[in-house]
Amino acid sequence: QAQLVESGGGLVQPGGSLRLSCAVAERTFNIATMGWFRQAPGKEREFVAAHRMGGGSPYYAESVKGRFTISRDNARTTVYLQMNSLKPEDTAVYYCAADPQSTPYNSDYRIWGQGTQVTVSA
């Protein structure tokens, strides 16, 4: 089974930017879709964005549209989440995920990364 390795989290001021990366390691099959989810303290994990690795339009949660951009590299082994105009309510642990069992919006992905903390605070 593939493993996902995340990086890029940290502390940023409101209005700032961060870029998260998620690399696929030890891949044993082609991954069709990768996504990002986040979980804030005391809240359920929620969908952020997803991208079909073979191409097509990405998917975004309404709360991040126009601020976040998901992309992938040409080798289809890494997915990125560029986060601009960050707000305190974006503070959460961000998880990379691969291979959803249903739609890209649901959290029933088969493979998950370890999570990376993003904190937006002055």
Side-chain angles (χ1 to χ4, degrees), residues 15-104:
S17 298
L18 280 175
R19 189 173 86 151
L20 306 182
S21 299
C22 176
V24 181
E26 301 181 19
R27 182 177 59 179
T28 58
F29 60 94
N30 289 327
I31 294 174
T33 301
M34 295 184 68
W36 289 96
F37 288 74
R38 67 186 181 186
Q39 188 167 18
K43 295 187 177 180
E44 293 186 356
R45 189 171 298 186
E46 64 174 2
F47 170 79
V48 175
H51 201 310
R52 295 193 188 277
M53 303 305 277
S57 298
Y59 306 84
Y60 293 103
E62 286 297 326
S63 59
V64 306
K65 276 184 180 178
R67 300 189 298 122
F68 291 12
T69 302
I70 187 171
S71 62
R72 59 160 176 81
D73 68 339
N74 289 334
R76 305 179 188 181
T77 60
T78 303
V79 66
Y80 306 96
L81 186 68
Q82 177 67 44
M83 305 185 294
N84 299 328
S85 302
L86 282 160
K87 305 175 182 180
E89 51 264 43
D90 294 318
T91 295
V93 177
Y94 283 70
Y95 296 90
C96 178
D99 196 22
Q101 299 184 64
S102 55
T103 78

